[in-house]
Amino acid sequence: MEESPQYFASERGDRFLDPIEPFRKEVESSITRALEEIHFVSSWNLEIPPAEIADFALPCFQFAKEMKKSPAVIATELLSKLPTMSLVSRTWTDGGYINFKIDNEKLAYITLETILKEKENYGRAERKGVEVLLEHTSVNPTGPIHVGRARNPLIGDTLARCMRLAGYDVVTEYYVNDVGKQVILLTWGVENIPPESVPKSERNKADHRLVGFYQKANEMMENDPKITDEIAEMLRRFESGDETIINKVRRTAQAILDGINQSLIDINVRIDRFVWESQFILDGSAKEVVERLKKTQYCHEEAGAYYLDLEEFGIKGRDTKFFFTRSDGTTLYTTRDLAYHLDKFKRADHVINVLGEDQKLGMTHLEAALKILGVKQAPENVFYSFVSLPEGRMSTRKGRVVTLDDLIEEAEERALEEVKKRRIDLPEEKMKAIARLIGRGAIRYNIIRIQAEKPIVFKWKEALNFEGNSAPFVQYAHARACSILRKAGEYEKIVDPYLLQDDYEKKLIRILARFPGVIKEAGEKRRIHIVPAYAHELASAFNQFYTYVPVLKGGDKTNARLTLVESSMWTLRNCLEVMGLGAPEEM
RNA sequence: GGGCGUGUGGCCUAGCAUGGAUAUGGCAGCAGCCUCCUAAGCUGCAAGUCAGGGGUUCAAAUCCCCUCACGCCCGCCA
């Protein structure tokens, strides 16, 4: 190296968490100085050009109008004003662009040094000291969680992981809906329907065992108005604080919730805290919300039921009336959710909800009500579209579902078949453990790779894809890296960019350098789907390197290459971890 | 009827917030690559009216308007 290692460790103590950062900073400050020199003040945008054109580019079209010169002329002039840069190896113009090529060797040096130093923390930003309360999943405890709703825990859990890595303190919560008709109907069903009239479930798990009672009870209620009355009476007693009813309902809900939570654990989703909706009835906070809302100018009454008129809040058409009590004085779902949100704001700096798209209007109502209550904060909502079946929407009530448990089981079986095909040498237990990581990984990956607001039609073939843009593709690259390192044993780590001059090596290093930036964007802008896209790009570059560049038989370059393999391994592993996938060391 | 969202090769998808250089990948298809670190891999080929139409702009997949298709919501349900 021409430069001493100390050179690179100057700016931020001795730590560069993001290897690209010093390069971008130098380019930006050079452009600022060049513009100052010609006394031109304007905001501008630095781009990352497509493909391999350059590393950064400044389009000068944006200045043309004000400067009254052609973009090409501006680019040439500005280029001549750029100060000498130490981290940029080449600058040139192309039409209306100024292109910047950063110094490959310096980038490689900083990148590999950073990764080897940070290891499992490569990609982790400094703590921001911001407490985030992230509510996700919160599915009704009336039956097993199905694939239609499974996007929620996967998006929520992945977002939590991304945000933690990006420096936030995140607590995840599941809001348990134990109040209201659905759970009460379920409880009624469990008490009043003889077990032999409900079809036996295939799985011995409470959520699967009890859902039949819920479906049957729905059916019975449709044909018998007396049951509807009975449910309403139970609901009234529940809301007035009748402990026998509340305990009964909670017991049933808890049994199902345990089943749901087991499914979540199976796909590596951990909820930090469960918050029961009935809590806000028992502690009086829902009633308090009612009293406060009643005193506002937006409150009106209709046959004993109270509502807010939200016309002023940009809500149009028939949706302006937001009822917050029934005519018998009991509270409604959104009223209790309002109490929950007031509670959330007390406990966190920032509140995020992951919700199905069907909740949009409800959240608009809730946000308007919060404003009326004088609350300054508002929740940030991440909405997702439902996963449907080719034959239509999934429905627990109608029993038209693919449950998450079915999907997990199927995925692990398929994965086990694949493992058995290629690794007959492994003991059965080891094969199963690998299949588990691959199976559940494939499920998570295939859901989180797609933007939340896009609809997904569930197809088994796609859900169980183990090739190309899939979890096993990334896991496989990681396993290959581990395999090389295992065979190498102890080796001398050498960070020397001049020994890594192959195009495949340079390409791989440039991708490795981008990881912290990807995490930052995923966490701060809640764009988690860019993580699997990046992971695939990285794995693909590693596979190319693996195919064309010999490591163990690399002669005097072996140690430098092993260093690159180890850096790739850490980055792949951190990618897998932040997606909640698990990184098998062999497969 | 109103509100919100989605529409990119046969199928799935990135890019849209912040308009810029040949629209990103994958699956399926076709043609190749395992005496050499795991072929869940690699290479090449073929495949696109960026739903349609107007507009703004030097420049539109990206911004604005209209239309069409699909999804979600519009309950004193949750």
Side-chain angles (χ1 to χ4, degrees):
Chain A
M1 292 287 297
E2 301 159 24
E3 309 275 359
S4 70
Q6 285 73 27
Y7 173 87
F8 301 106
S10 54
E11 270 188 57
R12 291 173 62 194
D14 58 348
R15 252 182 127 199
F16 284 117
L17 297 175
D18 182 346
I20 305 278
E21 197 181 272
F23 295 90
R24 172 181 279 275
K25 273 190 176 162
E26 186 177 68
V27 170
E28 284 177 344
S29 71
S30 299
I31 294 170
T32 305
R33 270 197 271 163
L35 286 168
E36 273 167 11
E37 196 157 321
I38 58 167
H39 306 291
F40 187 75
V41 182
S42 170
S43 63
W44 46 274
N45 199 21
L46 189 68
E47 304 190 336
I48 294 169
E52 318 276 292
I53 299 174
D55 295 303
F56 298 106
L58 180 73
C60 297
F61 307 88
Q62 51 191 329
F63 306 128
K65 197 167 255 177
E66 267 185 90
M67 290 191 184
K68 298 196 169 58
K69 286 177 197 165
S70 81
V73 170
I74 297 169
T76 311
E77 278 185 19
L78 224 43
L79 180 68
S80 69
K81 303 287 186 216
L82 285 174
T84 334
M85 290 176 270
S86 62
L87 301 178
V88 174
S89 57
R90 191 158 95 85
T91 53
W92 73 101
T93 61
D94 185 352
Y97 293 92
I98 303 178
N99 289 329
F100 301 83
K101 186 88 187 149
I102 63 183
D103 187 308
N104 254 314
E105 284 67 41
K106 287 174 182 166
L107 177 68
Y109 187 87
I110 295 180
T111 303
L112 299 182
E113 281 284 310
T114 305
I115 297 172
L116 292 176
K117 198 165 187 184
E118 299 294 324
K119 296 192 168 70
E120 67 275 8
N121 285 315
Y122 179 54
R124 184 178 296 280
E126 311 228 26
R127 276 184 65 184
K128 293 177 188 296
V130 176
E131 288 183 14
V132 175
L133 198 166
L134 174 57
E135 179 198 333
H136 70 76
T137 309
S138 301
V139 296
N140 285 351
T142 49
I145 184 165
H146 60 70
V147 174
R149 296 268 176 196
R151 248 181 142 168
N152 199 322
L154 297 182
I155 291 169
D157 184 69
T158 308
L159 181 57
R161 286 167 187 267
C162 287
M163 290 185 74
R164 281 174 186 138
L165 209 52
Y168 297 91
D169 297 323
V170 182
V171 172
T172 54
E173 291 192 355
Y174 182 127
Y175 186 43
V176 186
N177 172 250
D178 63 332
V179 185
K181 282 183 189 166
Q182 318 230 22
V183 215
I184 287 184
L185 182 63
L186 166 74
T187 308
W188 179 90
V190 171
E191 283 200 329
N192 294 283
I193 299 170
E196 55 278 14
S197 66
V198 170
K200 204 162 161 39
S201 74
E202 286 166 29
R203 243 173 256 276
N204 189 28
K205 237 176 125 220
D207 48 342
H208 288 263
R209 253 190 351 256
L210 298 180
V211 69
F213 292 89
Y214 175 64
Q215 286 154 347
K216 181 86 183 171
N218 263 293
E219 210 177 282
M220 289 167 74
M221 189 175 67
E222 272 173 36
N223 304 322
D224 187 351
K226 269 199 301 197
I227 297 173
T228 313
D229 295 342
E230 232 175 287
I231 302 300
E233 172 59 15
M234 281 173 79
L235 190 63
R236 201 195 52 71
R237 280 171 58 197
F238 188 105
E239 281 231 25
S240 65
D242 183 329
E243 286 194 12
T244 32
I245 295 268
I246 292 179
N247 288 338
K248 248 192 264 183
V249 172
R250 275 202 173 184
R251 245 196 336 270
T252 318
Q254 181 71 62
I256 292 197
L257 187 63
D258 288 344
I260 291 171
N261 196 32
Q262 188 53 54
S263 309
L264 295 178
I265 289 166
D266 287 346
I267 46 162
N268 207 20
V269 172
R270 199 195 76 237
I271 310 275
D272 293 325
R273 193 162 171 259
F274 290 83
V275 177
W276 293 72
E277 189 177 340
S278 55
Q279 174 196 319
F280 302 100
I281 290 175
L282 291 173
D283 70 8
S285 60
K287 270 277 173 282
E288 196 184 314
V289 167
V290 168
E291 293 313 314
R292 282 173 66 190
L293 286 174
K294 273 185 184 172
K295 286 179 195 143
T296 69
Q297 55 172 311
Y298 302 95
C299 179
H300 301 271
E301 188 238 311
E302 195 174 290
Y306 290 86
Y307 68 92
L308 298 174
D309 189 329
L310 299 178
E311 204 170 351
E312 277 181 36
F313 291 83
I315 295 165
K316 289 168 197 155
R318 296 180 250 171
D319 306 327
T320 62
K321 282 186 192 178
F322 160 48
F323 279 90
F324 61 93
T325 76
R326 296 190 183 85
S327 42
D328 63 3
T330 54
T331 58
L332 290 144
Y333 173 80
T334 313
T335 323
R336 297 179 301 261
D337 203 11
L338 219 35
Y340 178 32
H341 274 82
L342 294 176
D343 174 56
K344 286 182 183 179
F345 292 134
K346 277 186 214 151
R347 295 185 283 124
D349 301 315
H350 192 73
V351 168
I352 301 179
N353 299 314
V354 179
L355 299 164
E357 57 179 341
D358 55 338
Q359 308 280 320
K360 279 187 185 177
L361 180 63
M363 285 315 287
T364 314
H365 284 159
L366 183 135
E367 281 166 32
L370 284 171
K371 274 188 198 151
I372 289 171
L373 289 173
V375 177
K376 296 278 186 294
Q377 294 134 293
E380 174 188 341
N381 300 310
V382 175
F383 292 106
Y384 65 92
S385 295
F386 295 115
V387 178
S388 59
L389 293 170
E391 54 270 35
R393 193 175 169 170
M394 292 191 204
S395 160
T396 300
R397 210 157 35 82
K398 291 175 187 157
R400 186 173 69 199
V401 290
V402 173
T403 66
L404 184 54
D405 291 326
D406 290 345
L407 180 54
I408 294 168
E409 191 178 277
E410 191 70 31
E412 282 178 12
E413 275 172 23
R414 268 287 322 281
L416 189 58
E417 278 172 36
E418 297 295 322
V419 175
K420 280 181 174 165
K421 263 190 223 164
R422 46 204 111 201
R423 298 302 303 273
I424 33 170
D425 56 310
L426 293 175
E428 179 86 10
E429 274 316 302
K430 190 132 196 179
M431 285 198 278
K432 277 188 177 162
I434 293 168
R436 198 178 134 76
L437 292 182
I438 293 170
R440 85 176 182 205
I443 295 168
R444 285 186 70 120
Y445 191 100
N446 277 309
I447 295 283
I448 61 172
R449 57 179 259 263
I450 295 167
Q451 285 201 35
E453 57 273 21
K454 285 219 184 199
I456 298 181
V457 177
F458 179 83
K459 296 189 186 95
W460 278 104
K461 198 169 167 291
E462 287 168 16
L464 301 181
N465 174 34
F466 291 170
E467 283 166 9
N469 192 6
S470 70
F473 182 94
V474 183
Q475 291 169 322
Y476 186 58
H478 174 265
R480 278 178 148 180
C482 290
S483 172
I484 292 177
L485 293 169
R486 201 164 44 238
K487 289 199 168 133
E490 284 288 312
Y491 74 99
E492 186 197 351
K493 290 189 181 67
I494 298 176
V495 178
D496 186 348
Y498 295 95
L499 293 176
L500 302 170
Q501 288 294 317
D502 192 284
D503 281 347
Y504 293 106
E505 294 172 327
K506 289 196 240 176
K507 185 177 165 194
L508 177 56
I509 292 166
R510 303 170 77 77
I511 295 175
L512 290 172
R514 278 171 36 214
F515 181 61
V518 168
I519 292 305
K520 184 176 154 82
E521 183 180 348
E524 290 183 0
K525 299 187 178 165
R526 332 291 190 229
R527 285 159 53 82
I528 60 168
H529 66 280
I530 69 170
V531 179
Y534 169 82
H536 178 257
E537 204 182 331
L538 171 58
S540 183
F542 183 79
N543 279 329
Q544 287 167 19
F545 162 79
Y546 181 93
T547 304
Y548 295 105
V549 183
V551 177
L552 297 176
K553 292 181 180 170
D556 53 1
K557 292 179 175 167
T558 289
N559 283 342
R561 286 178 177 165
L562 278 168
T563 307
L564 176 57
V565 171
E566 185 177 334
S567 302
S568 304
M569 182 277 288
W570 285 116
T571 311
L572 284 162
R573 198 166 127 178
N574 296 349
C575 265
L576 290 165
E577 173 63 23
V578 78
M579 292 188 285
L581 299 193
E585 291 180 9
E586 56 182 320
M587 61 188 272

